[in-house]
Amino acid sequence: MKKITYQQFGGTEVLQMTDAPMPEGEIVVKVKAVSINPLDWKIWQGEMTLMSGRKFPKSVGIDFSGIVEKGNGSYRKGDEVFGIASIFKGGALAEYVAVKAKDIAHKPRTLSFEEAAALPVVGGAALQIFRQLVRIQPGMEVLINGAGGGIGPLAIQLAKKAGAIVTSVVGPAALDMVSRLGSDVVINYRQQNIGNKTFDVVIDLSGKMNYSAAKIYLKKKGVYINTSPGPREIIGSLFSGGRYKLLFLKPKIEQLADSGLQVFISRTYDWRDYKKAYDEVKKGGITGKAVFVIS
């Protein structure tokens, strides 16, 4: 079978499509679609070595959807599923992937393979934010910085469902989407500033508003959430008095299967165009999610 691997850290030039043996494991899935996540390139650029390690070759791709090729008691051959491969070791960007039963769920009939593949990482992140890191009460004010990406649309949905007043900061391409999702205030960061308003919760999804910058927007008991922490952020959060919280991704796929969350896909790529796809998505400006299609 074919899969995307790399033998050293670097840019897209280190990625290559290689021949590999069929994977062995509890469940083997014939992959139909794979999501593109910023975590992908953070890992293969060598930014996450504490978690990913330095042993090569390494594989690419975290969340996926597909059809069971080899099943067990819970999943039979032919079942349509979605889920995650190893978060820091990847492996989903391939014709087949081996996974554990706990890391997949039956694909909802209402979702296409592309939509299902796009859901686990961003949907899992959004659920963790609002079920583990903060508890939203009706009327609480939430600022979502970088709301036009993968996690943002789902975070808006969950915040509004909980009764929050949501302010979304996005680029021009995402203005209409976040408005349609119910954002109470929409800020085009190229033309407007947040101003002097303060919030109960500030969620940075852009990676460009650190805790020091966010503190001026926090109410006295407000909470800041970092969704892509590195070692420096982990240390910094220890001295915040509980106002600085970090997201360590641990998606629970079964929760996503019946979450009702709507995922937004603005671009799809044939997986053989993996270098072009990653180069384009890394530049930013894509609303919602981008997904590889494996045929």
Side-chain angles (χ1 to χ4, degrees), residues 141-143 194-202 215-220:
E141 296 186 278
V142 176
L143 172 67
I194 298 170
N196 298 320
K197 190 170 181 57
T198 55
F199 302 85
D200 298 287
V201 179
V202 173
K215 283 193 291 186
I216 63 171
Y217 302 118
L218 287 177
K219 294 183 179 180
K220 187 175 181 180

Side-chain angles (χ1 to χ4, degrees), residues 60-87:
V60 181
I62 301 170
D63 41 359
F64 67 93
S65 65
I67 300 172
V68 173
E69 178 71 16
K70 173 200 153 186
N72 63 3
S74 301
Y75 298 94
R76 296 179 296 179
K77 182 174 180 177
D79 284 353
E80 297 181 352
V81 298
F82 74 118
I84 58 169
S86 171
I87 291 176

Side-chain angles (χ1 to χ4, degrees), residues 32-47:
K32 298 289 288 183
V34 177
S35 173
I36 297 176
N37 296 290
L39 188 56
D40 294 344
W41 55 82
K42 287 184 178 182
I43 294 171
W44 45 256
Q45 287 177 169
E47 299 175 28

Side-chain angles (χ1 to χ4, degrees), residues 110-181:
T110 56
L111 298 181
S112 67
F113 281 109
E114 291 79 14
E115 290 168 331
L119 186 57
V121 167
V122 296
L127 286 177
Q128 280 183 245
I129 289 171
F130 291 105
R131 293 184 178 179
Q132 297 177 20
L133 301 184
V134 293
R135 293 288 182 178
I136 300 296
Q137 302 298 323
M140 290 180 68
E141 296 186 278
V142 176
L143 172 67
I144 304 176
N145 188 50
I151 300 174
L154 308 182
I156 294 170
Q157 292 173 59
L158 291 172
K160 291 302 300 179
K161 186 176 181 180
I165 300 168
V166 176
T167 297
S168 296
V169 180
V170 296
L175 293 171
D176 180 62
M177 178 184 69
V178 299
S179 295
R180 286 188 285 110
L181 286 170

